[in-house]
Amino acid sequence: MPSDDKRWRIVETRMRRLGSRPDALIEVLHSAQEAFGFLDDDALRFVSDSLRVPPSKVFGVATFYHHFTLKPHGEHTCVVCTGTACYINGADEILSSIKAGLDVKPRETTADGKLSLLTARCLGACSLAPVATVDGAVEGRVSSSDLVAKLAGL
Ligand code: FES
């Protein structure tokens, strides 16, 4: 284990229950992220060694799925929907405005650790497109400038 942090025991126990097999990779990564909030190099290496899966494959899976994050989340989270209805209604412009105003790109956290920006395929509120959530609260018919101002004020 990378350290004597008790959370590694939780991950290891889960791994053992899954048979410590390479095909348990995604579930084990879920467990590690649940335990630590994100997947750092130690976690990826530990999973790779324990399941005998090449590090490149573990890294590939961890970066392919949007659910996984390699950095700690910020104090606040904004999710911008990039599904079809939101895309047509300006999701790209919203992301560009957030990048310009707050210097953060999707799947990143601002340098001050205040805000993590994520994207989603559909937040289930297409009639309100474009849609974003701020700390879990749904914002419909979002305007770029209003959202940037709201996020800057967090
Ligand atoms: S596409 Fe954005 S909420 Fe459905």
mmCIF file of all heavy atoms in Angstrom, residues 3 9 26 29 33-34 37 39 43 50 58 60 71 76 84 88 99 101 120 124 142:
data_model
loop_
_atom_site.group_PDB
_atom_site.id
_atom_site.type_symbol
_atom_site.label_atom_id
_atom_site.label_comp_id
_atom_site.label_asym_id
_atom_site.label_seq_id
_atom_site.Cartn_x
_atom_site.Cartn_y
_atom_site.Cartn_z
ATOM 1 N N SER A 3 0.659 4.042 1.562
ATOM 2 C CA SER A 3 0.894 4.656 2.875
ATOM 3 C C SER A 3 0.061 3.897 3.905
ATOM 4 O O SER A 3 -0.669 2.962 3.558
ATOM 5 C CB SER A 3 0.494 6.135 2.864
ATOM 6 O OG SER A 3 -0.917 6.242 2.846
ATOM 7 N N ARG A 9 -6.863 0.405 3.040
ATOM 8 C CA ARG A 9 -7.402 -0.901 3.462
ATOM 9 C C ARG A 9 -8.794 -1.121 2.863
ATOM 10 O O ARG A 9 -9.142 -2.231 2.462
ATOM 11 C CB ARG A 9 -7.490 -0.992 4.984
ATOM 12 C CG ARG A 9 -6.170 -0.975 5.667
ATOM 13 C CD ARG A 9 -6.077 -2.063 6.737
ATOM 14 N NE ARG A 9 -4.728 -2.111 7.262
ATOM 15 C CZ ARG A 9 -3.713 -2.733 6.685
ATOM 16 N NH1 ARG A 9 -3.900 -3.404 5.581
ATOM 17 N NH2 ARG A 9 -2.510 -2.712 7.207
ATOM 18 N N ILE A 26 -12.259 -1.150 -13.440
ATOM 19 C CA ILE A 26 -13.128 0.034 -13.312
ATOM 20 C C ILE A 26 -13.730 0.112 -11.910
ATOM 21 O O ILE A 26 -13.743 1.178 -11.290
ATOM 22 C CB ILE A 26 -14.210 0.028 -14.415
ATOM 23 C CG1 ILE A 26 -13.534 0.309 -15.757
ATOM 24 C CG2 ILE A 26 -15.283 1.087 -14.139
ATOM 25 C CD1 ILE A 26 -14.444 0.301 -16.953
ATOM 26 N N LEU A 29 -11.095 1.259 -9.469
ATOM 27 C CA LEU A 29 -10.843 2.702 -9.605
ATOM 28 C C LEU A 29 -11.977 3.505 -8.948
ATOM 29 O O LEU A 29 -11.735 4.515 -8.294
ATOM 30 C CB LEU A 29 -10.702 3.090 -11.082
ATOM 31 C CG LEU A 29 -9.412 2.640 -11.768
ATOM 32 C CD1 LEU A 29 -9.453 2.974 -13.267
ATOM 33 C CD2 LEU A 29 -8.176 3.254 -11.126
ATOM 34 N N GLN A 33 -11.443 6.143 -5.930
ATOM 35 C CA GLN A 33 -11.908 7.530 -6.029
ATOM 36 C C GLN A 33 -12.912 7.858 -4.926
ATOM 37 O O GLN A 33 -12.916 8.961 -4.391
ATOM 38 C CB GLN A 33 -12.508 7.816 -7.406
ATOM 39 C CG GLN A 33 -12.940 9.282 -7.535
ATOM 40 C CD GLN A 33 -13.094 9.724 -8.959
ATOM 41 O OE1 GLN A 33 -12.136 9.732 -9.719
ATOM 42 N NE2 GLN A 33 -14.315 10.072 -9.333
ATOM 43 N N GLU A 34 -13.755 6.884 -4.602
ATOM 44 C CA GLU A 34 -14.701 7.090 -3.499
ATOM 45 C C GLU A 34 -13.961 7.342 -2.194
ATOM 46 O O GLU A 34 -14.339 8.182 -1.392
ATOM 47 C CB GLU A 34 -15.563 5.839 -3.332
ATOM 48 C CG GLU A 34 -16.983 6.002 -3.841
ATOM 49 C CD GLU A 34 -17.706 4.675 -3.762
ATOM 50 O OE1 GLU A 34 -17.725 4.061 -2.677
ATOM 51 O OE2 GLU A 34 -18.223 4.265 -4.803
ATOM 52 N N GLY A 37 -11.457 10.689 -3.185
ATOM 53 C CA GLY A 37 -12.023 11.849 -3.879
ATOM 54 C C GLY A 37 -11.426 12.065 -5.251
ATOM 55 O O GLY A 37 -11.995 12.776 -6.073
ATOM 56 N N LEU A 39 -8.018 10.352 -8.126
ATOM 57 C CA LEU A 39 -7.029 9.293 -8.348
ATOM 58 C C LEU A 39 -5.672 9.929 -8.624
ATOM 59 O O LEU A 39 -5.479 10.498 -9.690
ATOM 60 C CB LEU A 39 -7.456 8.426 -9.543
ATOM 61 C CG LEU A 39 -8.813 7.721 -9.413
ATOM 62 C CD1 LEU A 39 -9.249 7.157 -10.766
ATOM 63 C CD2 LEU A 39 -8.745 6.625 -8.371
ATOM 64 N N ALA A 43 -2.364 6.143 -6.328
ATOM 65 C CA ALA A 43 -3.544 5.288 -6.472
ATOM 66 C C ALA A 43 -3.470 4.500 -7.776
ATOM 67 O O ALA A 43 -3.725 3.290 -7.806
ATOM 68 C CB ALA A 43 -4.819 6.130 -6.437
ATOM 69 N N SER A 50 -1.558 -4.060 -8.050
ATOM 70 C CA SER A 50 -2.421 -5.034 -7.376
ATOM 71 C C SER A 50 -3.201 -5.896 -8.359
ATOM 72 O O SER A 50 -3.407 -7.087 -8.122
ATOM 73 C CB SER A 50 -3.407 -4.315 -6.458
ATOM 74 O OG SER A 50 -2.721 -3.533 -5.523
ATOM 75 N N VAL A 58 -4.232 1.423 -16.992
ATOM 76 C CA VAL A 58 -4.921 2.029 -15.844
ATOM 77 C C VAL A 58 -5.090 3.531 -16.101
ATOM 78 O O VAL A 58 -6.178 4.093 -15.925
ATOM 79 C CB VAL A 58 -4.135 1.790 -14.530
ATOM 80 C CG1 VAL A 58 -4.792 2.538 -13.372
ATOM 81 C CG2 VAL A 58 -4.065 0.299 -14.233
ATOM 82 N N GLY A 60 -5.067 5.033 -18.978
ATOM 83 C CA GLY A 60 -5.982 5.199 -20.106
ATOM 84 C C GLY A 60 -7.433 5.137 -19.666
ATOM 85 O O GLY A 60 -8.251 5.961 -20.080
ATOM 86 N N LYS A 71 -7.287 14.880 -10.166
ATOM 87 C CA LYS A 71 -6.891 15.969 -9.260
ATOM 88 C C LYS A 71 -7.985 16.177 -8.231
ATOM 89 O O LYS A 71 -9.155 15.901 -8.515
ATOM 90 C CB LYS A 71 -6.680 17.258 -10.044
ATOM 91 C CG LYS A 71 -5.469 17.187 -10.939
ATOM 92 C CD LYS A 71 -5.156 18.513 -11.552
ATOM 93 C CE LYS A 71 -3.914 18.394 -12.420
ATOM 94 N NZ LYS A 71 -3.910 19.333 -13.509
ATOM 95 N N HIS A 76 -16.035 24.318 -4.860
ATOM 96 C CA HIS A 76 -17.315 24.365 -5.582
ATOM 97 C C HIS A 76 -17.154 23.636 -6.916
ATOM 98 O O HIS A 76 -16.050 23.548 -7.440
ATOM 99 C CB HIS A 76 -17.733 25.814 -5.840
ATOM 100 C CG HIS A 76 -17.870 26.608 -4.587
ATOM 101 N ND1 HIS A 76 -18.984 26.547 -3.789
ATOM 102 C CD2 HIS A 76 -17.008 27.456 -3.977
ATOM 103 C CE1 HIS A 76 -18.817 27.340 -2.742
ATOM 104 N NE2 HIS A 76 -17.628 27.903 -2.838
ATOM 105 N N THR A 84 -26.646 17.463 -26.807
ATOM 106 C CA THR A 84 -27.045 18.060 -28.083
ATOM 107 C C THR A 84 -27.836 19.359 -27.913
ATOM 108 O O THR A 84 -27.485 20.389 -28.511
ATOM 109 C CB THR A 84 -27.893 17.052 -28.899
ATOM 110 O OG1 THR A 84 -27.128 15.858 -29.019
ATOM 111 C CG2 THR A 84 -28.226 17.593 -30.270
ATOM 112 N N ILE A 88 -26.304 22.984 -29.048
ATOM 113 C CA ILE A 88 -26.952 23.849 -30.046
ATOM 114 C C ILE A 88 -27.234 25.238 -29.465
ATOM 115 O O ILE A 88 -27.189 26.246 -30.154
ATOM 116 C CB ILE A 88 -28.272 23.199 -30.546
ATOM 117 C CG1 ILE A 88 -27.942 21.973 -31.401
ATOM 118 C CG2 ILE A 88 -29.144 24.174 -31.324
ATOM 119 C CD1 ILE A 88 -29.135 21.099 -31.701
ATOM 120 N N LYS A 99 -13.583 29.848 -19.353
ATOM 121 C CA LYS A 99 -12.115 29.773 -19.538
ATOM 122 C C LYS A 99 -11.530 31.185 -19.523
ATOM 123 O O LYS A 99 -10.513 31.444 -18.863
ATOM 124 C CB LYS A 99 -11.814 29.052 -20.855
ATOM 125 C CG LYS A 99 -10.401 29.204 -21.367
ATOM 126 C CD LYS A 99 -9.474 28.203 -20.698
ATOM 127 C CE LYS A 99 -8.053 28.283 -21.214
ATOM 128 N NZ LYS A 99 -7.113 28.950 -20.380
ATOM 129 N N GLY A 101 -12.892 33.968 -18.309
ATOM 130 C CA GLY A 101 -13.134 34.721 -17.079
ATOM 131 C C GLY A 101 -12.469 34.153 -15.844
ATOM 132 O O GLY A 101 -12.065 34.894 -14.951
ATOM 133 N N ALA A 120 -20.985 17.426 -18.803
ATOM 134 C CA ALA A 120 -21.817 16.223 -18.798
ATOM 135 C C ALA A 120 -22.506 16.122 -20.141
ATOM 136 O O ALA A 120 -22.671 17.124 -20.833
ATOM 137 C CB ALA A 120 -22.852 16.311 -17.681
ATOM 138 N N GLY A 124 -30.465 16.137 -18.164
ATOM 139 C CA GLY A 124 -31.867 15.760 -18.041
ATOM 140 C C GLY A 124 -32.824 16.936 -17.966
ATOM 141 O O GLY A 124 -33.949 16.780 -17.498
ATOM 142 N N VAL A 142 -29.045 29.342 -19.252
ATOM 143 C CA VAL A 142 -27.881 30.031 -18.695
ATOM 144 C C VAL A 142 -27.316 31.035 -19.689
ATOM 145 O O VAL A 142 -27.204 30.739 -20.879
ATOM 146 C CB VAL A 142 -26.794 28.969 -18.374
ATOM 147 C CG1 VAL A 142 -25.455 29.594 -18.117
ATOM 148 C CG2 VAL A 142 -27.222 28.119 -17.206
#
